Amino acid sequence: MPETCWLILLYTLPAKQASTRLSVWRQLKRLGAVSLKTSAFILPDRPEHEESFQWLAQSVRQNGGDATLLRAAQVDALSDKEVIDLFQESRASDYREILLSVKALRPAKSRKAEPEAAEVERLKSRYQAVRRIDFFDCPVARDVADALQALLPVPSGISTKGPKVKAKDYQKRQWQTRPRPELDRVASAWLIRHHIDPAATFVFSQDRGAFPDAVSYDMVNADFGHEGDDCTFETLLRRFGLRGKGLAELAAIIHAADVEDGKYPKVEGLGLLAVLRGWRQMGLTDDEILQRGWSLIDGLHRSISGK
């Protein structure tokens, strides 16, 4: 079970504090809290949620009300699953509102006009806002991501800007990156091993001088790293001129999870990122995270490319 403890905010406000009541409700909605009763709201027990509830409780008291913050392992007679279902229903409702707006932007069959970029960006921002409070990965999120992607498809090719290099000059090399690899570094290592240097070996250190002959990636002053808006995976694709099936879409997924700029409405990478961070918390070594992570990328690439 993802969560075993819950934070519950109980509050009351004087009848004359209508504007304060509306403000508190809006802040609770922004936080993603769900209602148990009229003035009882719940969030998963996380440090950032506790801080937010504390600030709200302070605001309620300053406006003449009463507020109590509780931590509970169980909520009344509800199981954890039933509480999670409340969050899923609330997020599904949020996502469906966005879906209705997306459908309204789709061009009619009788015309080829594309939707205005500003409207698409507005919907992408709404989607990202809901994703931030989607604590249990509501399945409707994928429907919204797919619908947004249909409005502005991911380009089938990779930008050709920037200096190009040849894979033949990077064979049987040692590749260096930062310790505790996350999604961009794991995916980049997968790309290197599968499409650039099949005999590549990988080392982990912040110190460039520790491995003077290594090719560095995704670290400070690296040979290959973030360039412009691109994550390291995208930089490697561009500079090595890679065009394999499914790589552009995979790049969009990695970018969405790593850069979090809303450029691509992709959610698949968030799950992979959570798994990689879980392995780190379990104490896996950098090499173990890399090896296991490659299997995740293999599976994702297979589902995208159909290979």
Side-chain angles (χ1 to χ4, degrees), residues 133-152:
I133 59 173
D134 185 4
F135 310 121
F136 303 102
D137 292 324
C138 176
V140 186
R142 180 60 184 265
D143 296 334
V144 180
D146 289 344
L148 287 170
Q149 192 62 49
L151 290 179
L152 288 179

Side-chain angles (χ1 to χ4, degrees), residues 180-191:
R180 317 314 288 154
E182 292 196 347
L183 186 56
D184 193 16
R185 279 169 280 163
V186 168
S188 295
W190 175 91
L191 187 68

Side-chain angles (χ1 to χ4, degrees), residues 32-94:
V34 296
S35 176
L36 295 175
K37 297 179 180 179
T38 303
S39 297
F41 287 81
I42 187 170
L43 280 172
D45 183 7
R46 300 177 185 176
E48 65 271 23
H49 295 162
E50 182 177 14
E51 181 178 359
S52 295
F53 268 175
Q54 287 173 341
W55 281 111
L56 270 177
Q58 177 178 299
S59 176
V60 167
R61 296 185 191 109
Q62 288 174 343
N63 284 277
D66 291 317
T68 302
L69 179 57
L70 304 174
R71 178 177 281 108
Q74 187 173 356
V75 181
D76 290 335
L78 298 176
S79 67
D80 279 354
K81 181 183 182 305
E82 289 171 321
V83 177
I84 290 173
D85 285 344
L86 294 176
F87 283 96
Q88 297 289 56
E89 291 167 8
S90 183
R91 297 295 79 79
S93 176
D94 293 336

